[in-house]
Amino acid sequence: MELSTQEPTHPPHPAVNEAKRPQVQPWVHLLAGAAGGMVTAIITSPLDVLRTRLQSDLYASPAHDSKSGLSSFKSPFRHVYDTFRTIGTIRGREGWHGLFRGLGPSLAGVVPATAVKFYVYGNCKQLSVQYLGFRSDEPIVHALGAVAAGLATATVTNPIWFVKTRLQLDMSQSHHGALMRQYSGSLDCIRQVVRSEGIRGLYRGLTASY
C-alpha cells in the first residue's frame, strides 16, 4: 500500500488574513471624527439655536400669546407653537443667518474636542494597563479612559461652548429704532467677558459639564 506524500490542503489561517489587512492609522480615525463632527455641527446648528433660545427666559413667550388660546402649558401643541414662533422671530429680526449664530465657535470646538478625546482615551487605557495592572480587555480600563477623556474635553473646550451659548443668546434690542447687540462676534465676546469677569468667566458652567 503506497502512502501519498502530498500534504493536505487547508484554508489559510485567519491570522494570516488578518496580518495582510492594512492597519488603519490613528490619525485616520481622528480626521474622520473631526470631519463628521463638522458636518453634524453645520446641519444641526438651527436646531441647536432653537433649543438654546427656548431654554432661555429672554425668549419666553409674552403674555399676548393668550389670545391664541395657547397660553396654557397643558396644551399639547404648546411646544410646537413656541418652536415655530421662535423661528419666525429669528427670521423677522435677524434673517435666516440668525439660525446659524454660534456656528463659528461650534466648528472651532469640534477639532480640539475630538483630538483631546481620542488622545486622552487611548493613553489613559495604556496607563491603566501599565501602572494599575489591569488587563486591556477589562471594562474598568474603558471606563477610566472614557471618564478621563470626558473631563479633559470639557475642561479644554468649555470656553468655546460658553462663547457659542452667549452668541446664541445675544438678543436684539431696539434702541431708537436701531437693532443693537452686546457682542459683535466671538472675539468681542471673549474680550468683554475677560474684561468684566476675568478668565474664570470663560469657565462658567464647567461644573455642570463635569
Side-chain angles (χ1 to χ4, degrees), residues 62-71 81:
H64 70 267
D65 286 347
S66 59
K67 298 179 181 179
S68 62
L70 293 172
S71 58
Y81 172 77

Side-chain angles (χ1 to χ4, degrees), residues 120-121 124-125 127-129 132 134 138-151:
V120 175
Y121 178 73
C124 185
K125 287 173 59 179
L127 293 176
S128 298
V129 173
L132 299 181
F134 294 121
E138 288 190 70
I140 186 63
V141 173
H142 299 280
L144 291 175
V147 171
L151 292 175

Side-chain angles (χ1 to χ4, degrees), residues 2-210:
E2 185 177 357
L3 297 176
S4 174
T5 58
Q6 184 179 2
E7 295 183 357
T9 58
H10 298 283
H13 195 272
V16 178
N17 293 335
E18 293 293 335
K20 292 182 179 179
R21 292 181 180 180
Q23 297 295 325
V24 179
Q25 298 297 324
W27 66 266
V28 175
H29 297 284
L30 181 64
L31 182 61
M38 289 182 183
V39 174
T40 301
I42 294 174
I43 294 177
T44 63
S45 178
L47 298 176
D48 191 31
V49 172
L50 286 173
R51 175 185 59 81
T52 304
R53 294 198 176 185
L54 288 172
Q55 291 176 345
S56 172
D57 292 336
L58 293 175
Y59 295 87
S61 300
H64 70 267
D65 286 347
S66 59
K67 298 179 181 179
S68 62
L70 293 172
S71 58
S72 174
F73 286 97
K74 296 180 180 179
S75 172
F77 302 102
R78 177 67 184 186
H79 298 296
V80 177
Y81 172 77
D82 282 344
T83 299
F84 284 98
R85 181 190 61 81
T86 304
I87 294 176
T89 301
I90 294 175
R91 183 186 64 83
R93 293 182 177 180
E94 311 170 43
W96 290 113
H97 66 276
L99 290 171
F100 292 89
R101 289 188 62 84
L103 179 59
S106 295
L107 292 175
V110 169
V111 174
T114 308
V116 171
K117 185 179 298 183
F118 274 77
Y119 181 82
V120 175
Y121 178 73
N123 282 275
C124 185
K125 287 173 59 179
Q126 294 181 1
L127 293 176
S128 298
V129 173
Q130 183 175 356
Y131 293 103
L132 299 181
F134 294 121
R135 298 193 309 272
S136 60
D137 59 344
E138 288 190 70
I140 186 63
V141 173
H142 299 280
L144 291 175
V147 171
L151 292 175
T153 303
T155 303
V156 173
T157 61
N158 192 82
I160 298 175
W161 308 132
F162 172 82
V163 171
K164 184 203 72 168
T165 303
R166 281 290 181 94
L167 290 177
Q168 289 179 343
L169 295 177
D170 191 11
M171 187 176 184
S172 298
Q173 297 180 353
S174 178
H175 181 68
H176 298 296
L179 294 178
M180 300 184 62
R181 291 189 173 280
Q182 182 178 359
Y183 310 114
S184 61
S186 301
L187 294 179
D188 181 56
C189 178
I190 294 174
R191 282 195 296 265
Q192 292 193 41
V193 171
V194 172
R195 187 184 304 117
S196 61
E197 307 175 42
I199 297 296
R200 295 179 59 181
L202 295 175
Y203 287 90
R204 296 182 61 179
L206 180 59
T207 303
S209 297
Y210 286 160

